[in-house]
C-alpha cells in the first residue's frame, strides 16, 4: 500500500475517481498546522450528481 493510499484510508476518502495531485503542510490563522490533500476528479462533471442541477460550485467540499 502506497503512502497516498494510506493517507486516503486515514481520512476515509474512498472515491476511486479521485487522483491525488499533492499533499502539503500549511498553517491556518490560529497557528495550527494542517495537512491539505489536493486532488482532482478523473472525469468532468456536467451536473450535480445529487440534485441534477447544471450549476456547479467550484472549490466546493464534500
Amino acid at each position: 500500500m502506497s503512502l497516498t493510499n494510506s493517507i486516503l484510508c486515514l481520512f476515509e476518502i474512498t472515491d476511486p475517481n479521485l487522483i491525488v495531485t499533492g499533499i502539503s503542510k500549511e498553517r491556518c490563522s490560529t497557528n495550527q498546522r494542517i495537512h491539505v490533500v489536493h486532488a482532482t476528479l478523473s472525469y468532468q462533471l456536467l451536473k450535480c450528481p445529487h440534485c441534477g442541477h447544471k450549476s456547479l460550485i467550484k472549490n466546493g467540499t464534500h
Side-chain angles (χ1 to χ4, degrees):
M1 185 182 284
S2 71
L3 181 60
T4 302
N5 284 340
S6 298
I7 292 170
L8 293 178
C9 288
L10 176 68
F11 292 114
E12 297 179 1
I13 300 172
T14 58
D15 190 344
N17 299 311
L18 286 177
I19 300 171
V20 176
T21 57
I23 299 169
S24 62
K25 295 179 184 178
E26 297 178 8
R27 286 194 182 265
C28 62
S29 60
T30 58
N31 207 24
Q32 293 178 330
R33 289 182 287 170
I34 58 173
H35 290 85
V36 179
V37 178
H38 303 274
T40 58
L41 280 174
S42 61
Y43 60 92
Q44 181 69 30
L45 282 177
L46 301 176
K47 62 182 182 178
C48 176
H50 300 289
C51 69
H53 198 270
K54 291 184 179 182
S55 178
L56 295 173
I57 299 172
K58 291 185 177 182
N59 299 323
T61 60
H62 179 59

